[in-house]
Each structure stands twice: as structure tokens, then as C-alpha cells.
Amino acid sequence: MTGLAPLLDRLAETLGPDGILADPDSLRLHGSDLLEEGADCAFVVRPATVEALAEAVGLIGRAGIAMAPRGGGLTYVRGYTPADRRFAAIDLSRLDRVIAVSEEDMTITVEAGATWKQIHDALAPLGLRLPFFGTFSGSRATVGGGLSNGALFLGTARHVSAAEAVVGMEVVLADGSILHTGQRAVARAPRPFLRTFGPDTTGLFVHDAGALGIKARVTLRLIRAPGHFGYLSFGFERQADGIAALCEVARADLAEDAYLMDADKTRSALSGPTDLLRDARMLAKVAGQERGLLKGLRAGAKLALAGRSFIAAGCHSLHLVLAGRSEAAIAADRQAARAIAGRFGGRELPDSIPRAGRADLFPPVRDMILGPLADRWIALNAKVPHSEAQRLTAAVEALLARRQSALDAAGVTVSRLITVMGTHAFSYEPVLNWRDAWLPLHRDVLGPATRLDEPPAAPDARALVMEVREELIALFAQLGAASNQIGRTYPYASVLRPQARALLEALKRAVDPEGLMNPGALELG
């Protein structure tokens, strides 16, 4: 750290006493994600203003030190942990302001460290919402991280991701300059509202894994929050039938959320020791989200009667959240969804899972950072067109079947979460769980007061998980699938056509000529 002393002094002057961290615990935490630890973090900067962020990035860049932006930190793709060089972590957690909400222009502008929950809470009293409005980890996951890594889930079946909602950004480049994208790139534009006056410069910085710049401020378009909701669940004996029904629901644009869970995933969602206080709170939330006292009581009773054991062994369960402007619209969509499920052999189930999911939109991250047995988990994902859905899932299932005996012997379980993105894309996500020692990020999220017991280290199970993970990633690339959260995990530059790769590399040289911005992400720098 001796050679860094002058730089750290300058940064401390710029950021204030709370704006820079260099203690061993902070370096260890910022050198890890949910996959592994050990990246060589030299120091952490925590700017509280966009201007301080830009000044700090400029100082670090002129010193020739690599840097990596970090939002909520909840990734498992080495997204902000450069592997081969020392780096500065740019922690955006203090850049979390909601700057402006325009009900007239239907936009919201936030700093990139704002969480999805913050945004939702700010908009709800106004009857407004983002189209895609967050992840289940949205109490910690940030809008900047979501835009860098392709966050999905709440609203995805209809509205895809935040990428489709963003209209402009302010991005800090490696030299500390601030680039405006969208309409705000026009010198006299009074406010952001459109992203495609000319080439889509906003799109260049979406899903870039932070390799091109650091998102500082973001403007997103709004919608009026739907006033009516409906919930449906169906069970299918065969995964292929559930997938066929899911894809047809997507093509028909019937649901805001639509996802298929295998029996293991469903049991995991419903498992764990009974917690009467938690269950009572969930029933209260379910009842509270329904309009009218009698209707709310009925919804709560329905959830209570369904309990946690209504999914039969081997059942693949499809869950839908319908959203509309009137009860009549919901009724029509419900009828259409039931017809689709029936056509593919689905039987209706109690709607406990989608109803409870929407009742508790952003649960504490500590409740999802580990599996039900305090076990670690990592997810992989592949996106293909609907016409390739069955081919993708068959190939993945065949690979997992070949590895099943080894996985069983090591105590590794595999579940699947399958969803759709708008009317046009299918997403398959295998999740691997195993008991193993936790990482610094697990301990940071759980906090010192956790009642969970950390399992002992399991290097053999971990090595097997990483082997199967690499095999799945290679299979996805062979099938030409897309992935979100690319980071340093999924091949990107190397799988592009030559002209597309040349353009990407030229863009990287233009905005980051020294290759200091998150080197290695997207296979760049």
C-alpha cells in the first residue's frame, strides 16, 4: 500500500473519511462474489455524489490502476472481480438517490446505486411503476447493476428487462469524463425522454458488465401501475408440456410473471422449518394486497388451506401473475390461460406461490442468499427463441443425466427455473445447490447475528459443481444461446462474428484506451 499512499490521500480529500476503505475485511469482501473469493482488491472507493465519482475515477485512471464497479454485489459470474490484476473497487452503494419523478413526462431519474425496492416504494404512492420493476433480491440489487448485467423477473414475462425501459444514462468513463446518452446527449435538450434520436448510444452501455463505463445516473420510463391482478398455477407431469404451455402463454401476452418450476425447485420454495410469525406476516400481506376486506380474507384463507405441500412428487408447476386495468380484463386472460394449460395437459393447482411472491415483492436478501439447508447455490442461464426451447432443455437435461450419479454422491442437487421474456424469448436456469463453507459476501449479507450454522468446507463437491458449470456454459455457447450476467463467466467477444467483435473492441478502445475499466469482463481488456 506504500506506493498507493499519495493516491489514497488524494482520494480521501475528494471522497471524505467514509469514502475510501482499505482494511483487510473490506478488501476481502470486495474481492469476492457469490461464486468465489481471492481477487486482488487494492482499495475501495465509495463516492457519495456523481461529481465525486467522476473525480475519483479520473484519479484512479491517471494512476494506471484497473477498476471495477460494484452495485449490490449479488452476482456469481466474477462480474466485478478482475482475476489477473490488482484493482480498485468502485462501490456505488452511497449513490442511491431518487433524483426526480415526472408524472407529466412519465420518467424517473435515479442514481445507479438506488435499489429496485427504493424505486418501487417511491413510485407506489403515485400509482406509477417501472414496466420491469425488479428482482426478488431488489432490496439490495441496484438499478446500475441490473442494467449492467441483465436483471430479470418482476414483470419480465410482459416487459422483458430494465434494458427496455431505460431512456438515457450518464456514464463515467475511465478518464473521469461523463458521457450522456439518449436525448440528453443533445446539448440543449432540457430533460431525458427518448433514447433513439440518432444511433442508440444508451444501448451500448446496457448489459456491458461494466466493461465500458460506470453508470452514474439513469432515467427510466414509467407506466401506470395495473389496478387488478390475478394468479394461476398449473401442474404438468412432463416438463416438455409445461414448457409448451409457458411459451404459448408468452406468445399470447397473458401474464406479467410466468415461470415453470420443477418439483425440486417448488419444494425448495415451500420448504424449511415452519416459522409461524413469518407465515402470519405472509398471510397478512396476501390479504392486504387484495381489494376489499371479504376478498382479502378469502385470499388469505385460500393460501392457508393450500399450505406448503400441494405439489405432488414429479410435478412441474407453472405459475402466472396476470395484470390489467379491470376485473373483466383479468377474467378474460384467466380464461385464456386455463385453455392453454388444459390443451397441454395441465391441471389447476392452488395459486399460493405466485400470490405469495407478489405479496412479498422484495424479501430480505438474507432469506435468499443461501438454500434451505444453509447451502450455497449458483445459477446458470440460457436464453433462446421459443422455437429452440425444447432443443435447449433436452440438451441440458441429457448433460445433467450423464452427471447425475456423481452429483448425487457429492450431495449436489439441481433444480430448474424456467421463464419467458416478453412474447419472444425463453429462459432456462439450472440451479446447483451444495453444502459448503460460505464466502465473505454470504457472511456480510447474513450479518454476525445469524442463527444459521455455516457448513464445513466441501472442496470435492465444489470442484464438481464448477466442472458441471463449465460444461453447461460450453453447451450454451454451442447452441448459440444468450445469457444475462455475462461478467467473466460466459464467452462473449470470442463467440461474436468478426465484424461485431471488431466494432466492440473499437468501442472499448474509444472509451477505455488503457483497458482499465473492469478488464476481462465480456472478454475485453
Side-chain angles (χ1 to χ4, degrees):
M1 295 293 290
T2 304
L4 292 175
L7 173 62
L8 296 181
D9 289 343
R10 290 286 308 279
L11 289 168
E13 292 174 8
T14 298
L15 302 171
D18 298 326
I20 187 162
L21 304 173
D23 61 283
D25 287 343
S26 295
L27 300 184
R28 191 175 303 114
L29 174 63
H30 287 78
S32 70
D33 64 2
L34 291 175
L35 180 72
E36 62 184 17
E37 59 184 321
D40 189 5
C41 181
F43 57 90
V44 182
V45 298
R46 303 175 64 242
T49 68
V50 171
E51 293 70 27
L53 168 64
E55 188 172 348
V57 167
L59 289 169
I60 296 167
R62 286 190 290 277
I65 297 172
M67 63 196 96
R70 185 180 191 270
L74 304 174
T75 72
Y76 29 78
V77 294
R78 305 185 184 97
Y80 52 80
T81 54
D84 301 323
R85 57 197 298 188
R86 208 170 195 206
F87 72 101
I90 314 298
D91 185 337
L92 300 179
S93 58
R94 296 206 297 169
L95 280 175
D96 63 352
R97 297 169 188 82
V98 175
I99 298 168
V101 177
S102 173
E103 296 182 71
E104 183 178 12
D105 293 332
M106 292 294 281
T107 60
I108 182 171
T109 299
V110 300
E111 291 177 336
T115 66
W116 299 107
K117 183 179 187 303
Q118 279 179 269
I119 296 170
H120 189 267
D121 290 348
L123 295 173
L126 304 175
L128 300 175
R129 206 194 75 188
L130 297 177
F132 159 81
F133 60 103
T135 63
F136 277 142
S137 58
S139 61
R140 176 163 172 148
T142 65
V143 68
L147 284 173
S148 293
N149 295 296
L152 302 172
F153 203 75
L154 294 171
T156 284
R158 175 161 289 158
H159 302 290
V160 191
S161 75
E164 284 70 26
V166 63
V167 296
M169 291 189 279
E170 294 175 39
V171 181
V172 176
L173 302 182
D175 63 0
S177 62
I178 299 178
L179 173 72
H180 291 74
T181 75
Q183 188 68 17
R184 284 284 284 137
V186 176
R188 294 192 178 185
R191 58 188 58 86
F193 75 98
L194 187 68
R195 75 188 255 177
T196 52
F197 176 47
D200 184 7
T201 54
T202 298
L204 296 174
F205 294 90
V206 171
H207 297 186
D208 70 333
L212 302 179
I214 300 176
K215 295 159 188 65
R217 296 188 182 101
V218 177
T219 299
L220 303 118
R221 68 180 181 88
L222 302 176
I223 62 172
R224 289 182 176 157
H228 301 269
F229 294 91
Y231 308 91
L232 286 169
S233 294
F234 302 95
F236 298 85
E237 292 185 10
R238 298 193 322 136
Q239 183 190 66
D241 294 330
I243 289 171
L246 173 66
C247 291
E248 184 58 23
V249 166
R251 287 187 287 263
D253 189 26
L254 293 177
E256 279 205 325
D257 300 341
Y259 48 98
L260 184 73
M261 300 163 66
D262 65 18
D264 288 337
K265 191 74 176 177
T266 306
R267 281 194 294 271
S268 176
L270 297 170
S271 66
T274 298
D275 183 331
L276 293 178
L277 178 61
R278 183 186 62 196
D279 288 352
R281 287 172 176 165
M282 177 60 68
L283 286 172
K285 288 179 179 179
V286 168
Q289 75 176 351
E290 297 290 345
R291 294 189 172 193
L293 176 61
L294 181 59
K295 186 177 178 183
L297 291 173
R298 285 172 176 166
K302 185 177 181 181
L303 184 69
L305 288 171
R308 300 181 176 206
S309 58
F310 60 84
I311 303 294
C315 174
H316 301 269
S317 58
L318 172 63
H319 307 284
L320 308 178
V321 176
L322 314 178
R325 301 294 177 200
S326 67
E327 288 286 2
I330 296 297
D333 287 347
R334 183 182 286 114
Q335 182 179 358
R338 283 172 170 154
I340 290 171
R343 193 191 325 161
F344 294 100
R347 61 183 180 87
E348 193 159 351
L349 303 173
D351 58 16
S352 299
I353 288 178
R355 188 180 290 275
R358 277 300 183 102
D360 196 13
L361 287 172
F362 303 110
V365 175
R366 64 177 179 271
D367 294 345
M368 63 186 73
I369 198 79
L370 296 168
L373 302 175
D375 46 329
R376 284 170 56 180
W377 61 266
I378 56 172
L380 298 104
N381 62 84
K383 283 80 168 93
V384 295
H386 294 305
S387 58
E388 293 291 312
Q390 301 287 3
R391 177 175 177 237
L392 168 68
T393 53
V396 173
E397 295 301 336
L399 187 157
L400 294 172
R402 291 193 297 271
R403 286 293 210 158
Q404 193 62 58
S405 59
L407 292 168
D408 290 344
V412 179
T413 62
V414 184
S415 57
R416 294 90 170 153
L417 178 63
I418 303 171
T419 188
V420 285
M421 303 166 60
T423 59
H424 55 282
F426 170 86
S427 176
Y428 181 96
E429 186 169 303
V431 183
L432 291 86
N433 287 61
W434 78 106
R435 283 180 59 79
D436 194 0
W438 301 338
L439 295 169
L441 186 55
H442 294 108
R443 301 184 192 104
D444 178 68
V445 172
L446 291 170
T450 181
R451 294 178 294 174
L452 298 176
D453 294 324
E454 181 174 346
D460 292 342
R462 188 187 320 141
L464 176 63
V465 166
M466 297 307 167
E467 284 179 21
V468 173
R469 177 177 175 274
E470 291 303 317
E471 292 173 7
L472 286 167
I473 290 166
L475 175 62
F476 296 164
Q478 178 185 340
L479 296 174
S483 295
N484 57 317
Q485 289 202 33
I486 298 169
R488 294 172 179 80
T489 289
Y490 296 92
Y492 185 70
S494 64
V495 299
L496 295 179
R497 298 179 190 271
Q499 297 84 355
R501 179 167 183 168
L503 177 61
L504 176 69
E505 291 174 340
L507 176 62
K508 174 71 169 176
R509 289 192 297 271
V511 297
D512 182 19
E514 303 302 319
L516 300 176
M517 188 59 68
N518 211 8
L522 303 185
E523 300 183 317
L524 295 174

